[in-house]
Structures are given as C-alpha cells and as structure tokens.
C-alpha cells in the first residue's frame, strides 16, 4: 500500500501506526491531516480527519494507539491535544491545550495505552498518564541530558503486559524503561535510614526494611524485596520469611556483591499473594 498523494491509500509523510485486536492497521497520514484504516493486507477500509482545530480535525498529528475495546487515540501534535475516536472514526472526546501544567502539552508525539485502558503520552521532556477519558493520573520526567528519568524530546512510548513503560528518549539517543508501581500491602512499612549516608558520622552500611515495634510497620510473614535502579533494571533480589521477625537488613550491594553507587533506587516488597508495597531509597556517598 502507499504512494504520495491524497487519494485513499496514498500518504503525505505518514508518521504513526497502530494495530487493533482484529489486526486492522491505522496510519497517521500527517501532512494530509487524517487517519486511514486498512486491513492487514493493505485493503482500504475508511478514513477521517482534515486540517483544523475542531473535533475530528488535526494539525500535524503524529502518534496513534488503539485500546482493547477498539477505541482510537491520536496525538494531535500541533493542536496540543489528544483526540479519542471509535474504530469507525466517530469523535468521542478530547483533552489538552498548550502549556506545561498537568494535562497540558507542548507538541505531544508518542502515545500508547495499557491493558487497563490508561493512556500514556510522550510530551515535551516528560511522560503524562491519563485515564481513558483524559483524567490526569500522574507524570514524570523533565529536560536533561543523559540523567536517569530525564528526557530530551521523547518521541515514542510503549507499555508491556506487566505495565512497565518504555520511552524513546530521542535526542539522548537511548531507550529508558520504568517499572510499574502497584498498590500497597501496607502504607506503614518502615525503611531506614533513608536516605542512607554511607560516610556520615554514623557510618551506616545497611538499610533495614520493616520495624518490629509496631505491627503495621512490619514486613509480611513471607515475600521478596526487589531493588531497581531508576531505569527499571533489577539490582538486588532479597527474600524474607517469618524467621526474620518482621524486618530484613540489606547491605546495599547488588546481586554480584558490589556496593551500589550514589543515587535514587526503587524498592518493591511483594507478599505471596502478589500484593506490593513500593517506595524510593536514596543512597549518598
């Protein structure tokens, strides 16, 4: 399929592409300000959109994704908004405007949706997460060269079946991975000292998870503690059980026995039922 032009099945600088659960293909035909839909073999099905800022109109759209229900989300880049459509192209809703606040955009490009219907948008130097109707959930990232968790004009974003997020950090020439933070087992589990200052007057060399003094601050009877760096790479696996008495010490070394460098790390405490408690740890040397 393809060729330059404005007829059905022709394109002018196509940019984004997505596939639904029925294997239909959706293409963002950027300079033609429209979406085209095809069969998996390239047979033309339908199209929608034109140049403008009204509902169902586009201004240099770039990103597209389809959820498990067949709803189509388009990053309407120069209109600084997200538009949502049915699989036939009927307008459902929109959100966003120019700006740097929550739910605002500065040329959004990449877009994806997870298995729960949440929408992730690669905005200018950050990722924003929304409900399927555009309700703001959270955001992360800022402008920065090569620092973990910072971006320079990210263009692409994707989510795997476990909810981990992958970002094409375009002008840092790299991919960053972020782990999903799930619901809590308990909100009161203590992690101390945090931050850990290795060369402080107290010469701390271990971090303790849990506290025997109060039941709601203790670890569960059995489970694991996993430590990740800010890019989502697993650094350390720690198992604990009832014999540990509600708390577990960690010597701040990775799985190879090497001391961790200064920085911010993420811990995920998991019990046998799969419930999780998460948080951040700071290490200063």
């Amino acid at each position: 399929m393809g060729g330059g032009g404005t007829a059905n099945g022709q394109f002018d600088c196509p940019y984004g592409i997505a596939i639904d659960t029925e294997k239909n293909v959706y293409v963002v035909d950027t300079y033609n300000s429209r979406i085209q839909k095809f069969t998996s073999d390239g047979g033309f099905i339908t199209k929608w959109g034109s140049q403008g800022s009204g509902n169902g109109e586009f201004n240099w759209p770039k990103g597209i994704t389809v959820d498990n229900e067949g709803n189509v989300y388009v990053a309407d880049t120069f209109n600084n908004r997200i538009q949502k459509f049915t699989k036939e192209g009927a307008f459902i809703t929109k959100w966003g405007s120019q700006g740097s606040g929550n739910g605002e955009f500065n040329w959004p490009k990449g877009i994806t949706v997870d298995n729960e219907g949440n929408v992730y948008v690669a905005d200018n130097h950050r990722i924003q997460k929304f409900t399927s109707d555009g309700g703001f959930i959270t955001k992360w990232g800022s402008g920065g060269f090569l620092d973990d968790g910072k971006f320079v004009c990210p263009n692409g974003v994707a989510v795997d079946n476990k909810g981990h997020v992958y970002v094409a950090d375009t002008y840092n020439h790299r991919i960053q991975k972020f782990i999903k933070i799930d619901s809590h087992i308990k909100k009161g589990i203590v992690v101390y000292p945090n931050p850990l200052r290795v060369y402080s007057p107290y010469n701390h060399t271990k971090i303790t998870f849990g506290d025997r003094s109060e039941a709601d601050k203790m670890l569960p009877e059995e489970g694991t503690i996993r430590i990740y760096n800010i890019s989502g790479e697993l650094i350390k696996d720690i198992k604990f059980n009832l014999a540990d008495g509600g708390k577990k010490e960690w010597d701040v070394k990775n799985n190879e026995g090497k001391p961790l460098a200064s920085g911010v790390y993420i811990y995920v405490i998991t019990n046998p039922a799969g419930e999780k408690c998460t948080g951040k740890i700071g290490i200063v040397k």
Side-chain angles (χ1 to χ4, degrees):
M1 71 180 84
T6 60
N8 296 343
Q10 294 181 330
F11 307 102
D12 190 353
C13 197
Y15 198 94
I17 191 167
I19 300 173
D20 65 19
T21 56
E22 298 174 351
K23 299 183 180 180
N24 299 307
V25 181
Y26 300 77
V27 180
V28 181
D29 189 5
T30 300
Y31 288 176
N32 281 327
S33 298
R34 65 184 180 180
I35 306 301
Q36 295 197 65
K37 180 180 177 180
F38 303 89
T39 66
S40 59
D41 295 326
F44 177 81
I45 298 176
T46 191
K47 65 183 177 184
W48 68 90
S50 59
Q51 174 69 34
S53 58
N55 295 343
E57 297 178 334
F58 303 106
N59 188 1
W60 218 53
K62 300 192 80 170
I64 190 168
T65 192
V66 185
D67 66 21
N68 290 334
E69 304 299 320
N71 299 305
V72 181
Y73 304 80
V74 179
D76 189 5
T77 304
F78 279 10
N79 278 327
N80 289 298
R81 65 183 181 179
I82 305 302
Q83 294 198 67
K84 179 180 178 180
F85 303 90
T86 67
K87 61 184 178 181
E88 292 84 14
F91 176 81
I92 298 175
T93 191
K94 64 184 176 184
W95 67 90
S97 59
Q98 172 72 38
S100 57
N102 296 342
E104 297 178 335
F105 303 105
N106 188 4
W107 294 4
K109 299 179 181 70
I111 187 168
T112 194
V113 63
D114 65 21
N115 287 334
E116 298 172 356
N118 299 307
V119 180
Y120 301 76
V121 180
D123 192 17
N124 186 29
H125 308 324
R126 66 179 180 176
I127 305 300
Q128 295 196 68
K129 180 180 178 181
F130 303 90
T131 66
S132 61
D133 295 323
F136 177 81
I137 297 175
T138 190
K139 65 184 177 185
W140 70 90
S142 60
F145 291 97
L146 301 179
D147 292 330
D148 291 343
K150 294 188 176 183
F151 309 104
V152 180
C153 297
N155 273 265
V157 61
V159 184
D160 66 20
N161 289 332
K162 295 181 179 180
H164 304 326
V165 181
Y166 303 78
V167 180
D169 187 7
T170 304
Y171 290 110
N172 273 326
H173 309 290
R174 63 181 181 177
I175 306 300
Q176 295 197 63
K177 177 183 177 182
F178 301 88
I179 63 170
K180 180 182 179 182
I181 298 178
D182 293 307
S183 59
H184 293 264
I185 311 167
K186 303 175 183 177
K187 294 184 178 179
I189 292 177
V190 173
V191 180
Y192 61 94
N194 188 15
L196 179 142
R197 302 180 187 274
V198 175
Y199 298 125
S200 71
Y202 303 102
N203 195 29
H204 293 301
T205 58
K206 295 181 180 180
I207 287 177
T208 301
F209 296 87
D211 186 349
R212 291 193 186 98
S213 62
E214 298 180 44
D216 63 354
K217 296 181 180 181
M218 294 169 59
L219 290 175
E221 293 183 356
E222 183 182 356
T224 61
I225 303 167
R226 291 186 173 92
I227 310 297
Y228 299 86
N229 64 21
I230 201 68
S231 296
E233 298 171 314
L234 179 64
I235 301 298
K236 181 69 176 180
D237 252 323
I238 307 165
K239 294 184 179 181
F240 61 87
N241 54 43
L242 187 61
D244 293 309
K247 71 176 186 177
K248 184 71 174 180
E249 291 185 336
W250 171 45
D251 60 4
V252 199
K253 295 180 181 179
N254 64 17
N255 283 330
E256 287 72 45
K258 297 179 180 178
L260 266 62
S262 297
V264 177
Y265 297 85
I266 298 168
Y267 66 84
V268 181
I269 302 171
T270 308
N271 69 11
E275 298 171 313
K276 292 177 171 62
C277 171
T278 65
K280 295 181 180 179
I281 297 171
I283 296 176
V284 182
K285 292 187 176 182

